[in-house]
Amino acid sequence: MRLEGKCAIVTGGGSGFGAGIAERFAAEGAQVMVADINAEAADRVANQIGGIAHGVNVADGNSVQAMADAAVEAWGRVDILVNNAGVTHVPAPMDEIPEEEFDRVFAVNCKSVYLTARALVPGMKARGAGAILNVASTAGVSPRPRLSWYNSSKGWMNTATRAMAIELAPEGVRVNAINPVAGDTPLLPSFLGEDTPEMRAKFLSTIPMGRFSTAQDMANAALYLCSDEASMVTGVCMQVDGGRCI
């Protein structure tokens, strides 16, 4: 029960890594809001873990504020925020990515971090406590070709994590990130371009441990970084990648 008494929001919690994090947080005693643009998926996960669901577009300020307001109404505060929601573009030469795809990637992966901070950091500062976890990617540490703007958005998340951490440390708010290698999640086909055994084998050959990330891998790392056990840890961008970035 390492999160007993904590209240947490997990964006993109309706599937993939987010669902795994939400499930683990609930098992460790947290009250969890599963927030996702797919409200049906959020409901499903929330029902499974005894949490609450909220439909949200993390790239829209009004929608994010409504999510924050709903959490505060339910619990009175938010102790933990996990910025997990993310999208990518299909692999292609950088100069061939449509502008609308570029805008979408940066709105969901980057602007969302600003919007959730704007909505939730004031309450954390007022209480002198809080933990924020940004789910970035090894793509932001060791970029892959043909995913240039996705790589860049995740590199932005790592820099934002450190910038947030140094500013908020005196306020008692910790900010960390995890950098997963790709997992068998709904985003995997987009990373691969085409989801075939050959493409999977090619991708796996770049991961020394020889397997994809799992939701449990991410949940374990997230649990530590968001728990009081990590009370002296802030500004860390932890690679959970089976050695890919070595």
Side-chain angles (χ1 to χ4, degrees), residues 181-239:
V181 75
D184 197 353
T185 70
L187 277 185
L188 183 61
S190 297
F191 291 131
L192 298 178
E194 54 177 343
D195 191 356
T196 64
E198 293 76 19
M199 288 300 294
R200 286 187 173 226
K202 182 179 178 180
F203 198 101
L204 285 171
S205 71
T206 68
I207 304 172
M209 290 188 72
R211 68 173 177 84
F212 291 115
S213 294
T214 68
Q216 289 70 34
D217 294 325
M218 297 310 113
N220 290 336
L223 172 61
Y224 168 68
L225 289 172
C226 293
S227 75
D228 291 341
E229 294 172 16
S231 62
M232 192 59 175
V233 179
T234 196
V236 165
C237 301
M238 181 187 291
Q239 290 155 214

Side-chain angles (χ1 to χ4, degrees), residues 38 80 98 129 142 151 165 168 170 176 189 198 218 234 241:
N38 183 336
I80 298 168
S142 179
N151 297 334
L168 295 177
N176 293 293
E198 293 76 19
M218 297 310 113
T234 196
D241 66 352

Side-chain angles (χ1 to χ4, degrees), residues 12-44:
S15 64
F17 294 155
I21 292 170
E23 290 166 8
R24 186 64 189 278
F25 280 17
E28 292 286 343
Q31 298 183 74
V32 181
M33 172 181 280
V34 181
D36 202 290
I37 197 167
N38 183 336
E40 183 178 339
D43 279 332
R44 183 170 60 251

Side-chain angles (χ1 to χ4, degrees), residues 3-245:
L3 299 181
E4 188 171 11
K6 304 288 189 181
C7 302
I9 296 175
V10 181
T11 70
S15 64
F17 294 155
I21 292 170
E23 290 166 8
R24 186 64 189 278
F25 280 17
E28 292 286 343
Q31 298 183 74
V32 181
M33 172 181 280
V34 181
D36 202 290
I37 197 167
N38 183 336
E40 183 178 339
D43 279 332
R44 183 170 60 251
V45 174
N47 288 336
Q48 290 171 351
I49 67 173
I52 58 177
H54 191 88
V56 64
N57 175 0
V58 295
D60 177 81
N62 290 332
S63 184
V64 169
Q65 187 62 56
M67 174 191 73
D69 291 345
V72 171
E73 182 178 351
W75 304 320
R77 70 188 193 283
V78 175
D79 302 301
I80 298 168
L81 165 66
V82 180
N83 286 309
N84 169 75
V87 295
T88 186
H89 56 79
V90 174
M94 66 175 70
D95 51 320
E96 295 180 11
I97 301 298
E99 184 176 355
E100 58 270 23
E101 281 296 292
F102 176 92
D103 288 344
R104 176 172 175 262
V105 166
F106 274 78
V108 175
N109 295 357
C110 302
K111 185 181 180 183
S112 63
V113 177
Y114 155 72
L115 293 173
T116 56
R118 187 178 68 174
L120 291 163
V121 162
M124 292 180 174
K125 289 166 70 173
R127 292 188 304 279
I132 299 172
L133 181 71
N134 297 323
V135 180
S137 170
T138 54
V141 179
S142 179
R144 293 182 184 273
R146 296 167 60 86
L147 284 170
S148 290
W149 309 122
Y150 173 76
N151 297 334
S152 301
S153 74
K154 292 301 187 177
W156 183 98
M157 287 186 77
N158 283 321
T159 299
T161 296
R162 291 188 287 268
M164 294 168 71
I166 196 67
E167 180 170 335
L168 295 177
E171 308 285 351
V173 180
R174 299 185 301 106
V175 188
N176 293 293
I178 52 175
N179 283 301
V181 75
D184 197 353
T185 70
L187 277 185
L188 183 61
S190 297
F191 291 131
L192 298 178
E194 54 177 343
D195 191 356
T196 64
E198 293 76 19
M199 288 300 294
R200 286 187 173 226
K202 182 179 178 180
F203 198 101
L204 285 171
S205 71
T206 68
I207 304 172
M209 290 188 72
R211 68 173 177 84
F212 291 115
S213 294
T214 68
Q216 289 70 34
D217 294 325
M218 297 310 113
N220 290 336
L223 172 61
Y224 168 68
L225 289 172
C226 293
S227 75
D228 291 341
E229 294 172 16
S231 62
M232 192 59 175
V233 179
T234 196
V236 165
C237 301
M238 181 187 291
Q239 290 155 214
V240 189
D241 66 352
R244 185 177 97 74
C245 291

